[in-house]
Amino acid sequence: MAFRFLLLTLFFLVLDWYFYQAVVTVLRYATPERKQMVAWVYWGFSAFVVVLMLVAMAIGPLNAPRWVRVYLFSVVLVVEISKLVGLVFVLTDDVLRLFRWLAQLVRPKAEPSAGGGISRLRFLNQLALVMAAIPFTSLLYGMVKGAYDYRVKRITLKFPNLPPAFDGMVMAQISDLHTGSFSDPTHLNQAFDMLLSHKPDVIVFTGDLVNDKATETDGFVDTFRRLKAPLGVYSTLGNHDYGDYVSWESPQAKAANLEQLKSVHAASGWDLLMNEHRMLERGGERIALIGIENWGASLRFPKYGKLNQAAAGTEGGPFKILLSHDPSHWDAEVNTTYTDIDLTLSGHTHGMQFGVELPGFKWSPVQYFYKQWAGLYQKDHQYLYV
């Protein structure tokens, strides 16, 4: 850990020094006293960020609450990402200075030199500070306020093969609770209040109940148990639920953690679908709800899901809904091999924690990794909602 900390510290110092050149340029005409004050504040804050990183790394082995480490690391990332955004303009300035310097070299010798060094462009460095402030303020807002700015998105879907008894059925989907990121159930209860106010007929949860360990759900089961619907509450597992991102003392401990997590689903009144299906019945008619374990097209994520096993027995059914945590499963297998699945519900991407959404426009860095990453998608008669 010490070597990793020293390496990260060195990287941050180089980053800080380079970004500081923009600060110096903007303060070119400031008084010496003001320059000194800004220098103390800048480097003092930089030292504070390094300390936060050290604390976050040190408390990891101490089994501190996951949300504490998440917030500490998040503050560090917010600061450094903001500086990286600003550095695009500082680097642009340096590239322009390089070209101006090369241009001077090829001038005729009789032509007088511009004299002295080539100064930085104050405008570009001012722009660097402004552009760095945008992600800094927006990401901090997202951590403090935006994380609990819950939204209910109502999507109406029409299927010619949906049995008439299910016409108007309200299905509520939630996903990726990552319970260990909550310090207590307060904010989760607020989200569930919103969900239950829509009186869903069936509720589904599409994976990642925890970040790493089943113990993250301690104190939350009563909150999970609040979710009730006439046709039931059903759930699946996501990539984080298997404990694959933790160093366990033994394979048995890892397996015991998964069994404990399964028991949390049961204690919450959720019907956990482990590569299996349930038939939902309403008005004497039935549709199939299929749930698989995590299956990701990327090599980074495990393929525990067995859709052939889960779908066995649903052949010839009039309508099928699939719960599959990772949306990459849709293109990789669902809409190529299982074309009788009408609707797939996924989670997993959650916008890579950052994005912009305006009327008619949405963007997130996760879109460069996942073709389907948020909202509704259609291929022929099949739908995917992420």
Side-chain angles (χ1 to χ4, degrees), residues 313-369:
T314 66
E315 299 86 358
F319 191 83
K320 300 180 182 68
I321 300 172
L322 171 65
L323 310 182
S324 181
H325 176 70
D326 191 322
S328 64
H329 185 209
W330 194 59
D331 272 344
E333 188 178 37
V334 178
N335 63 42
T336 56
T337 307
Y338 295 87
T339 56
D340 59 342
I341 291 177
D342 301 278
L343 172 64
T344 301
L345 301 175
S346 300
H348 183 57
T349 58
H350 36 88
M352 202 176 264
Q353 320 299 352
F354 176 77
V356 176
E357 188 168 356
L358 300 170
F361 174 80
K362 62 180 181 179
W363 175 89
S364 169
V366 78
Q367 70 188 64
Y368 304 116
F369 302 93

Side-chain angles (χ1 to χ4, degrees), residues 197-344:
S197 70
H198 292 269
K199 296 180 172 54
D201 297 300
V202 60
I203 299 173
V204 296
F205 173 73
T206 48
D208 276 1
L209 184 60
V210 297
N211 291 315
D212 296 308
K213 297 182 178 181
T215 52
E216 295 172 28
T217 62
D218 292 349
F220 285 83
V221 173
D222 286 342
T223 298
F224 299 153
R225 199 179 288 127
R226 291 185 56 209
L227 296 183
K228 297 182 186 300
L231 295 178
V233 180
Y234 303 89
S235 57
T236 54
L237 297 180
N239 56 296
H240 278 267
D241 293 323
Y242 297 90
D244 288 339
Y245 310 118
V246 179
S247 297
W248 299 93
E249 57 269 25
S250 68
Q252 292 77 17
K254 181 181 178 182
N257 174 74
L258 182 56
E259 291 305 314
Q260 183 182 351
L261 188 64
K262 292 178 185 179
S263 70
V264 170
H265 284 254
S268 303
W270 300 3
D271 188 354
L272 179 61
L273 303 181
M274 300 286 289
N275 299 320
E276 51 193 327
H277 69 269
R278 301 286 185 266
M279 300 305 295
L280 304 184
E281 188 167 341
R282 183 172 174 174
E285 296 183 298
R286 307 171 83 197
I287 63 174
L289 180 67
I290 304 168
I292 67 163
E293 296 188 59
N294 190 75
W295 196 104
S298 168
L299 294 176
R300 295 180 296 126
F301 298 112
K303 293 178 173 61
Y304 297 118
K306 297 178 177 63
L307 185 49
N308 60 335
Q309 175 183 318
T314 66
E315 299 86 358
F319 191 83
K320 300 180 182 68
I321 300 172
L322 171 65
L323 310 182
S324 181
H325 176 70
D326 191 322
S328 64
H329 185 209
W330 194 59
D331 272 344
E333 188 178 37
V334 178
N335 63 42
T336 56
T337 307
Y338 295 87
T339 56
D340 59 342
I341 291 177
D342 301 278
L343 172 64
T344 301

Side-chain angles (χ1 to χ4, degrees), residues 84-193:
L84 283 172
V85 171
L87 284 182
V88 172
F89 299 90
V90 181
L91 184 61
T92 301
D93 181 25
D94 283 339
V95 170
L96 290 174
R97 293 171 67 206
L98 174 62
F99 278 110
R100 289 160 62 197
W101 178 75
L102 291 174
Q104 285 188 359
L105 289 181
V106 298
R107 285 176 182 172
K109 291 185 179 180
E111 186 176 329
S113 172
I118 298 176
S119 64
R120 288 182 172 273
L121 296 176
R122 196 159 182 256
F123 167 73
L124 277 177
N125 288 269
Q126 287 175 327
L127 193 58
L129 299 186
V130 171
M131 296 307 295
I134 292 174
F136 181 77
T137 53
S138 61
L139 289 171
L140 277 184
Y141 173 83
M143 288 173 57
V144 176
K145 176 67 175 176
Y148 309 115
D149 183 17
Y150 300 123
R151 309 285 177 88
V152 174
K153 298 192 176 182
R154 300 179 64 93
I155 307 295
T156 300
L157 295 176
K158 297 180 180 180
F159 299 90
N161 57 319
L162 182 69
F166 289 89
D167 184 27
M169 181 184 74
V170 177
M171 171 175 279
Q173 179 197 7
I174 54 175
S175 193
D176 296 82
L177 293 184
H178 291 276
T179 311
S181 300
F182 292 89
S183 58
D184 61 66
T186 303
H187 293 293
L188 201 52
N189 274 311
Q190 294 172 357
F192 287 179
D193 286 341

Side-chain angles (χ1 to χ4, degrees), residues 9-20:
T9 301
L10 179 61
F11 172 76
F12 288 162
L13 285 176
V14 171
L15 189 65
D16 286 344
W17 174 83
Y18 193 36
F19 186 79
Y20 186 64

